[in-house]
mmCIF file of all heavy atoms in Angstrom:
data_model
loop_
_atom_site.group_PDB
_atom_site.id
_atom_site.type_symbol
_atom_site.label_atom_id
_atom_site.label_comp_id
_atom_site.label_asym_id
_atom_site.label_seq_id
_atom_site.Cartn_x
_atom_site.Cartn_y
_atom_site.Cartn_z
ATOM 1 N N GLY A 102 19.279 15.997 -13.231
ATOM 2 C CA GLY A 102 18.025 16.713 -13.080
ATOM 3 C C GLY A 102 17.551 16.728 -11.648
ATOM 4 O O GLY A 102 18.337 16.686 -10.691
ATOM 5 N N ARG A 103 16.207 16.740 -11.428
ATOM 6 C CA ARG A 103 15.638 16.809 -10.088
ATOM 7 C C ARG A 103 14.648 15.659 -9.898
ATOM 8 O O ARG A 103 13.802 15.396 -10.732
ATOM 9 C CB ARG A 103 14.899 18.128 -9.875
ATOM 10 C CG ARG A 103 14.373 18.273 -8.449
ATOM 11 C CD ARG A 103 13.811 19.656 -8.152
ATOM 12 N NE ARG A 103 12.654 19.992 -8.991
ATOM 13 C CZ ARG A 103 11.769 20.949 -8.686
ATOM 14 N NH1 ARG A 103 11.951 21.657 -7.606
ATOM 15 N NH2 ARG A 103 10.775 21.183 -9.507
ATOM 16 N N LEU A 104 14.809 14.972 -8.786
ATOM 17 C CA LEU A 104 13.930 13.876 -8.394
ATOM 18 C C LEU A 104 13.065 14.312 -7.248
ATOM 19 O O LEU A 104 13.590 14.733 -6.197
ATOM 20 C CB LEU A 104 14.750 12.646 -8.029
ATOM 21 C CG LEU A 104 13.993 11.380 -7.615
ATOM 22 C CD1 LEU A 104 13.195 10.817 -8.776
ATOM 23 C CD2 LEU A 104 14.943 10.336 -7.044
ATOM 24 N N LYS A 105 11.733 14.188 -7.367
ATOM 25 C CA LYS A 105 10.813 14.612 -6.309
ATOM 26 C C LYS A 105 10.122 13.372 -5.708
ATOM 27 O O LYS A 105 9.505 12.590 -6.423
ATOM 28 C CB LYS A 105 9.781 15.585 -6.872
ATOM 29 C CG LYS A 105 10.394 16.868 -7.434
ATOM 30 C CD LYS A 105 9.330 17.848 -7.852
ATOM 31 C CE LYS A 105 8.541 18.372 -6.663
ATOM 32 N NZ LYS A 105 7.535 19.369 -7.043
ATOM 33 N N ILE A 106 10.238 13.241 -4.387
ATOM 34 C CA ILE A 106 9.773 12.065 -3.698
ATOM 35 C C ILE A 106 8.823 12.475 -2.588
ATOM 36 O O ILE A 106 9.102 13.420 -1.830
ATOM 37 C CB ILE A 106 10.968 11.270 -3.088
ATOM 38 C CG1 ILE A 106 11.965 10.919 -4.171
ATOM 39 C CG2 ILE A 106 10.453 9.983 -2.403
ATOM 40 C CD1 ILE A 106 13.307 10.475 -3.610
ATOM 41 N N LEU A 107 7.734 11.746 -2.435
ATOM 42 C CA LEU A 107 6.798 11.938 -1.324
ATOM 43 C C LEU A 107 6.757 10.631 -0.523
ATOM 44 O O LEU A 107 6.672 9.558 -1.112
ATOM 45 C CB LEU A 107 5.389 12.259 -1.867
ATOM 46 C CG LEU A 107 4.274 12.428 -0.840
ATOM 47 C CD1 LEU A 107 4.480 13.675 0.011
ATOM 48 C CD2 LEU A 107 2.923 12.499 -1.559
ATOM 49 N N ALA A 108 6.842 10.733 0.805
ATOM 50 C CA ALA A 108 6.869 9.528 1.640
ATOM 51 C C ALA A 108 6.167 9.803 2.951
ATOM 52 O O ALA A 108 6.061 10.937 3.412
ATOM 53 C CB ALA A 108 8.301 9.088 1.888
ATOM 54 N N ILE A 117 13.602 6.136 4.095
ATOM 55 C CA ILE A 117 13.726 6.765 2.792
ATOM 56 C C ILE A 117 14.804 7.861 2.800
ATOM 57 O O ILE A 117 15.614 7.944 1.872
ATOM 58 C CB ILE A 117 12.390 7.346 2.334
ATOM 59 C CG1 ILE A 117 11.317 6.244 2.335
ATOM 60 C CG2 ILE A 117 12.514 7.965 0.941
ATOM 61 C CD1 ILE A 117 11.648 5.060 1.444
ATOM 62 N N VAL A 121 17.930 8.500 0.148
ATOM 63 C CA VAL A 121 18.043 9.705 -0.670
ATOM 64 C C VAL A 121 19.434 10.274 -0.648
ATOM 65 O O VAL A 121 19.989 10.617 -1.728
ATOM 66 C CB VAL A 121 17.002 10.752 -0.207
ATOM 67 C CG1 VAL A 121 17.306 12.113 -0.791
ATOM 68 C CG2 VAL A 121 15.582 10.323 -0.573
ATOM 69 N N GLN A 125 21.929 10.476 -3.887
ATOM 70 C CA GLN A 125 22.433 11.754 -4.410
ATOM 71 C C GLN A 125 23.965 11.778 -4.411
ATOM 72 O O GLN A 125 24.572 12.369 -5.298
ATOM 73 C CB GLN A 125 21.867 12.910 -3.561
ATOM 74 C CG GLN A 125 21.931 14.274 -4.222
ATOM 75 C CD GLN A 125 23.312 14.865 -4.174
ATOM 76 O OE1 GLN A 125 24.025 14.704 -3.179
ATOM 77 N NE2 GLN A 125 23.706 15.592 -5.230
ATOM 78 N N LEU A 131 22.548 15.118 -9.700
ATOM 79 C CA LEU A 131 21.119 15.030 -9.391
ATOM 80 C C LEU A 131 20.804 15.833 -8.133
ATOM 81 O O LEU A 131 21.561 15.858 -7.183
ATOM 82 C CB LEU A 131 20.741 13.552 -9.143
ATOM 83 C CG LEU A 131 19.312 13.246 -8.766
ATOM 84 C CD1 LEU A 131 18.410 13.403 -9.977
ATOM 85 C CD2 LEU A 131 19.207 11.819 -8.229
ATOM 86 N N SER A 132 19.652 16.496 -8.130
ATOM 87 C CA SER A 132 19.106 17.128 -6.915
ATOM 88 C C SER A 132 17.810 16.384 -6.531
ATOM 89 O O SER A 132 17.086 15.943 -7.397
ATOM 90 C CB SER A 132 18.834 18.613 -7.108
ATOM 91 O OG SER A 132 17.837 18.789 -8.094
ATOM 92 N N VAL A 133 17.613 16.245 -5.238
ATOM 93 C CA VAL A 133 16.467 15.460 -4.760
ATOM 94 C C VAL A 133 15.657 16.290 -3.768
ATOM 95 O O VAL A 133 16.209 16.932 -2.884
ATOM 96 C CB VAL A 133 16.922 14.150 -4.077
ATOM 97 C CG1 VAL A 133 15.684 13.310 -3.659
ATOM 98 C CG2 VAL A 133 17.813 13.348 -4.973
ATOM 99 N N GLU A 134 14.358 16.276 -3.945
ATOM 100 C CA GLU A 134 13.431 16.930 -3.004
ATOM 101 C C GLU A 134 12.578 15.853 -2.339
ATOM 102 O O GLU A 134 11.851 15.112 -3.033
ATOM 103 C CB GLU A 134 12.542 17.958 -3.737
ATOM 104 C CG GLU A 134 11.539 18.638 -2.838
ATOM 105 C CD GLU A 134 10.653 19.620 -3.595
ATOM 106 O OE1 GLU A 134 11.047 20.053 -4.694
ATOM 107 O OE2 GLU A 134 9.541 19.907 -3.100
ATOM 108 N N LEU A 135 12.648 15.736 -1.045
ATOM 109 C CA LEU A 135 11.871 14.735 -0.286
ATOM 110 C C LEU A 135 10.863 15.452 0.600
ATOM 111 O O LEU A 135 11.273 16.252 1.453
ATOM 112 C CB LEU A 135 12.834 13.867 0.566
ATOM 113 C CG LEU A 135 12.156 12.898 1.542
ATOM 114 C CD1 LEU A 135 11.338 11.836 0.798
ATOM 115 C CD2 LEU A 135 13.208 12.250 2.432
ATOM 116 N N GLU A 136 9.602 15.167 0.390
ATOM 117 C CA GLU A 136 8.554 15.697 1.268
ATOM 118 C C GLU A 136 7.974 14.555 2.090
ATOM 119 O O GLU A 136 7.646 13.476 1.538
ATOM 120 C CB GLU A 136 7.447 16.378 0.470
ATOM 121 C CG GLU A 136 6.352 16.931 1.378
ATOM 122 C CD GLU A 136 5.420 17.895 0.678
ATOM 123 O OE1 GLU A 136 5.888 18.672 -0.193
ATOM 124 O OE2 GLU A 136 4.213 17.874 0.975
ATOM 125 N N LEU A 137 7.805 14.791 3.375
ATOM 126 C CA LEU A 137 7.276 13.747 4.271
ATOM 127 C C LEU A 137 5.894 14.223 4.769
ATOM 128 O O LEU A 137 5.744 15.313 5.284
ATOM 129 C CB LEU A 137 8.220 13.551 5.470
ATOM 130 C CG LEU A 137 9.662 13.147 5.127
ATOM 131 C CD1 LEU A 137 10.494 13.015 6.361
ATOM 132 C CD2 LEU A 137 9.654 11.834 4.327
ATOM 133 N N ALA A 148 2.819 15.880 -9.411
ATOM 134 C CA ALA A 148 3.985 16.717 -9.122
ATOM 135 C C ALA A 148 5.143 15.885 -8.600
ATOM 136 O O ALA A 148 6.271 16.389 -8.487
ATOM 137 C CB ALA A 148 3.625 17.790 -8.103
ATOM 138 N N TRP A 149 4.917 14.607 -8.290
ATOM 139 C CA TRP A 149 5.937 13.774 -7.694
ATOM 140 C C TRP A 149 6.386 12.670 -8.653
ATOM 141 O O TRP A 149 5.580 12.093 -9.372
ATOM 142 C CB TRP A 149 5.425 13.147 -6.378
ATOM 143 C CG TRP A 149 4.928 14.206 -5.461
ATOM 144 C CD1 TRP A 149 3.621 14.577 -5.277
ATOM 145 C CD2 TRP A 149 5.697 15.080 -4.650
ATOM 146 N NE1 TRP A 149 3.519 15.615 -4.385
ATOM 147 C CE2 TRP A 149 4.784 15.961 -3.977
ATOM 148 C CE3 TRP A 149 7.060 15.211 -4.408
ATOM 149 C CZ2 TRP A 149 5.210 16.922 -3.099
ATOM 150 C CZ3 TRP A 149 7.474 16.182 -3.526
ATOM 151 C CH2 TRP A 149 6.554 17.032 -2.881
ATOM 152 N N ASP A 150 7.681 12.341 -8.642
ATOM 153 C CA ASP A 150 8.189 11.257 -9.470
ATOM 154 C C ASP A 150 7.870 9.921 -8.812
ATOM 155 O O ASP A 150 7.500 8.992 -9.495
ATOM 156 C CB ASP A 150 9.691 11.403 -9.660
ATOM 157 C CG ASP A 150 10.048 12.673 -10.404
ATOM 158 O OD1 ASP A 150 9.595 12.822 -11.545
ATOM 159 O OD2 ASP A 150 10.776 13.498 -9.850
ATOM 160 N N ILE A 151 8.041 9.836 -7.508
ATOM 161 C CA ILE A 151 7.780 8.613 -6.746
ATOM 162 C C ILE A 151 7.050 8.981 -5.463
ATOM 163 O O ILE A 151 7.465 9.912 -4.759
ATOM 164 C CB ILE A 151 9.068 7.843 -6.403
ATOM 165 C CG1 ILE A 151 9.758 7.353 -7.668
ATOM 166 C CG2 ILE A 151 8.754 6.644 -5.497
ATOM 167 C CD1 ILE A 151 11.019 6.566 -7.385
ATOM 168 N N PHE A 298 16.234 5.128 -8.887
ATOM 169 C CA PHE A 298 15.899 5.210 -7.466
ATOM 170 C C PHE A 298 14.918 4.111 -7.070
ATOM 171 O O PHE A 298 14.980 3.567 -5.971
ATOM 172 C CB PHE A 298 15.336 6.583 -7.134
ATOM 173 C CG PHE A 298 15.162 6.799 -5.638
ATOM 174 C CD1 PHE A 298 16.275 6.902 -4.814
ATOM 175 C CD2 PHE A 298 13.923 6.899 -5.060
ATOM 176 C CE1 PHE A 298 16.148 7.091 -3.442
ATOM 177 C CE2 PHE A 298 13.773 7.073 -3.696
ATOM 178 C CZ PHE A 298 14.890 7.186 -2.887
#
Side-chain angles (χ1 to χ4, degrees):
R103 184 172 63 160
L104 179 66
K105 299 185 67 178
I106 304 165
L107 177 68
I117 304 302
V121 166
Q125 199 283 324
L131 178 73
S132 63
V133 184
E134 178 181 339
L135 172 64
E136 180 167 323
L137 302 178
W149 306 99
D150 297 301
I151 296 182
F298 189 68

